Amino acid sequence: MHTKVLKRKKKQDSLSPAKVLTFGFTLIIVIGTFLLSLGPASASGQKLGLVDAFFMATSAVCVTGLVVVDPATQFSLFGELTLIILTQIGGLGFMTMGTLIALAFNRRISLRDRLVLQEAMKQNTLEGLVSLIRRVAIYSFVIESAGALLLAIRWSFDMPMGQALYYGVFHSISIFNNAGFDLFGAVHGPYSGLSAYVSDPFVNIVVIVLIVLGGIGFIVLADLLSFRTTRRLSLHSKVVLTVSGILIIAGSLLIFVMEVFKSPAFQELSLTDQIFAAVFHSVSARSGGVSTLSVSDMQQSTQFLLLLLMFIGAAPGSTGGGIKVTVFAILIGAMYSMLRGKEDIVFFRKRLSKESILRAITQTWLALFLVILTAMILSAVEDRAFLALLFETTSAFATSGLSLDVTTKLTDFSKVVLGLVMFLGRIGPLTLVYALTPKSKKELFRYPEGDFIIG
């Protein structure tokens, strides 16, 4: 008996952080699928199909926001609450939630738990992890509460106060966690999104701020809040804020230029509303998943730009997906260094390590292979335009949630494939590779250096 216990304990301890994260997210998706497939979760009482329930649960846990049914008209209150709880767990991460519960009961956080948290939060060190988790909980509660209150006040002019408060809480959690689920299908028609508020600067600003705060990551938020005392920002925060700012501004300008002269929906708006719409979709594309205009009605050039922004995504340690802005920065830095004949990639007078560069390149190639291969598979089984399928695939991988209104029309096979892509996008292709491959041994020798012609 004692031997069996020791073997079981040894097996548990052998689980790597990557395996724990992979199995943990899988378990939550399975539970979510079961709950959403129940009769009480449906507004009509008719059970949601297992594939559709799997897709919606995966979209919530992976904070994507892609839907195959309209949440407001399909789900009952129980179903909506299940969806938003899954979103909250998925946004903060199940290990973060577990740690918070453990801290509430004064349970000691083991070294193994800290290693898993380190992988989940994309930290380079174990130092200060528990403190970071506490701050993550506080930041999330304060930001989501403020967003809920502001949105509830605004929507109280359009609906009863109780409903406005519920909508405020639901959408604040959904938007801050970069999921993009909305309940306005019950008010303005299925899949209407925030189209009724395209000319509402208050809603636009609150939503943009929530997406940005959720997308820059908790590490950057902690840095910004402590800046008054420390008077300095980490290299990570500097790169995330700089690259995010450039992407928002450049994306807004390009969307404005490409839509203002050709898009009928865009031309109907005032200049101020056009600027808000351009900024809104530039911000939302990199993981927000909400829209005030129909993306399917935009120019193909704009759709492709949104696709690129989705692929880049948000910051590491945030609620967003994509290859991450820091990886994009490294790729641009590598190109710049090569063109200038420099040996090192330097940001803010700091040289990047070879490991960081190789990890960024690997992550980008894995993401490209996944997106392209999935789009090709969908193209082989679906009679849809390739750009539309590539857009949906990128949205699933980047956990963005923007759609060209194709996902609801896909076959069950394609829905399952996109569900798996959302899962891979949330945990990260590299994390899955680490989880599935045996632990590599340290090389005891190095091969002689070789050379071949490039370009």
Side-chain angles (χ1 to χ4, degrees):
M1 181 74 177
H2 184 64
T3 309
K4 287 182 179 179
V5 172
L6 285 176
K7 284 182 178 179
R8 192 182 299 117
K9 190 176 187 302
K10 187 176 180 181
K11 186 177 180 181
Q12 289 175 348
D13 291 340
S14 68
L15 288 178
S16 66
K19 287 180 181 177
V20 173
L21 288 176
T22 303
F23 296 154
F25 273 108
T26 302
L27 179 61
I28 295 170
I29 289 171
V30 170
I31 294 171
T33 302
F34 169 73
L35 292 175
L36 291 179
S37 65
L38 295 175
S42 175
S44 63
Q46 185 175 356
K47 292 182 178 181
L48 187 65
L50 195 61
V51 171
D52 288 346
F54 162 75
F55 190 97
M56 294 300 291
T58 306
S59 186
V61 174
C62 299
V63 288
T64 304
L66 280 176
V67 296
V68 288
V69 293
D70 180 66
T73 53
Q74 169 63 40
F75 294 121
S76 62
L77 178 62
F78 171 74
E80 291 172 1
L81 290 177
T82 300
L83 196 70
I84 205 62
I85 290 170
L86 291 174
T87 299
Q88 184 72 84
I89 294 172
L92 293 182
F94 77 94
M95 275 305 299
T96 302
M97 299 293 288
T99 304
L100 291 174
I101 293 171
L103 291 173
F105 287 96
N106 293 320
R107 178 179 170 271
R108 180 178 168 273
I109 309 301
S110 67
L111 176 61
R112 181 167 164 271
D113 291 337
R114 291 171 192 265
L115 288 170
V116 179
L117 283 171
Q118 181 186 12
E119 178 70 24
M121 299 300 293
K122 308 300 179 187
Q123 293 288 287
N124 297 323
T125 175
L126 291 174
E127 186 180 353
L129 265 179
V130 176
S131 173
L132 177 62
I133 296 302
R134 286 195 182 98
R135 282 179 287 169
V136 164
I138 295 169
Y139 299 158
S140 299
F141 177 76
V142 171
I143 294 171
E144 289 174 356
S145 298
L149 181 61
L150 291 172
L151 291 174
I153 292 171
R154 167 61 188 87
W155 289 332
S156 64
F157 293 97
D158 301 336
M159 57 187 72
M161 190 60 202
Q163 185 182 2
L165 187 60
Y166 172 60
Y167 270 44
V169 172
F170 184 98
H171 291 90
S172 183
I173 294 173
S174 173
I175 293 167
F176 173 69
N177 287 286
N178 283 196
F181 293 116
D182 73 88
L183 299 179
F184 285 99
V187 181
H188 307 297
Y191 309 108
S192 56
L194 297 179
S195 57
Y197 300 98
V198 64
S199 299
D200 190 317
F202 184 84
V203 172
N204 275 261
I205 291 171
V206 172
V207 171
I208 287 171
V209 171
L210 284 173
I211 295 173
V212 170
L213 291 178
I216 61 176
F218 297 109
I219 304 159
V220 178
L221 284 175
D223 259 10
L224 290 173
L225 290 173
S226 63
F227 180 75
R228 182 179 292 182
T229 339
T230 61
R231 290 294 171 184
R232 67 181 184 85
L233 293 175
S234 66
L235 176 63
H236 171 82
S237 297
K238 289 178 182 177
V239 171
V240 167
L241 292 172
T242 303
V243 177
S244 296
I246 292 171
L247 288 173
I248 290 172
I249 294 169
S252 302
L253 288 173
L254 288 171
I255 292 172
F256 181 85
V257 169
M258 290 189 289
E259 289 295 308
V260 71
F261 298 113
K262 290 187 176 181
S263 172
F266 220 74
Q267 290 174 347
E268 291 175 1
L269 303 175
S270 66
L271 178 60
T272 304
D273 294 341
Q274 289 173 345
I275 293 172
F276 266 117
V279 175
F280 188 98
H281 290 89
S282 176
V283 171
S284 183
R286 288 193 305 107
S287 250
V290 286
S291 59
T292 53
L293 293 173
S294 173
V295 180
S296 58
D297 292 336
M298 293 181 178
Q299 304 299 311
Q300 285 194 346
S301 56
T302 307
Q303 292 170 357
F304 191 73
L305 172 64
L306 294 176
L307 186 153
L308 294 177
L309 291 173
M310 287 191 296
F311 186 76
I312 295 169
S318 73
T319 54
I323 62 170
K324 304 296 188 285
V325 292
T326 47
V327 170
F328 177 70
I330 290 174
L331 297 178
I332 296 298
M335 182 178 68
Y336 176 80
S337 296
M338 179 59 66
L339 293 175
R340 295 295 300 270
K342 297 180 180 294
E343 291 186 7
D344 299 321
I345 300 176
V346 179
F347 291 133
F348 300 99
R349 298 182 180 180
K350 297 287 185 180
R351 173 173 56 87
L352 297 188
S353 67
K354 181 183 176 182
E355 183 185 353
S356 297
I357 299 167
L358 289 176
R359 187 181 178 95
I361 294 170
T362 304
Q363 192 163 311
T364 304
W365 275 113
L366 285 174
L368 274 173
F369 284 142
L370 176 63
V371 169
I372 293 171
L373 180 62
T374 304
M376 289 172 64
I377 292 172
L378 295 185
S379 181
V381 298
E382 301 286 345
D383 185 21
R384 307 284 173 188
F386 184 75
L387 178 60
L389 295 174
L390 182 62
F391 190 96
E392 304 296 299
T393 303
T394 307
S395 180
F397 163 75
T399 66
S400 171
L402 290 183
S403 174
L404 296 184
D405 301 330
V406 170
T407 306
T408 55
K409 305 176 181 69
L410 295 178
T411 60
D412 284 350
F413 172 80
S414 297
K415 290 175 185 177
V416 171
V417 170
L418 278 187
L420 295 175
V421 171
M422 286 190 285
F423 177 75
L424 287 173
R426 180 65 181 97
I427 65 171
L430 269 179
T431 301
L432 185 67
V433 170
Y434 292 154
L436 297 179
T437 54
K439 190 175 181 181
S440 58
K441 297 179 180 178
K442 188 176 181 180
E443 293 181 351
L444 301 177
F445 64 92
R446 296 180 72 186
Y447 290 101
E449 190 175 278
D451 198 10
F452 56 90
I453 299 171
I454 299 175

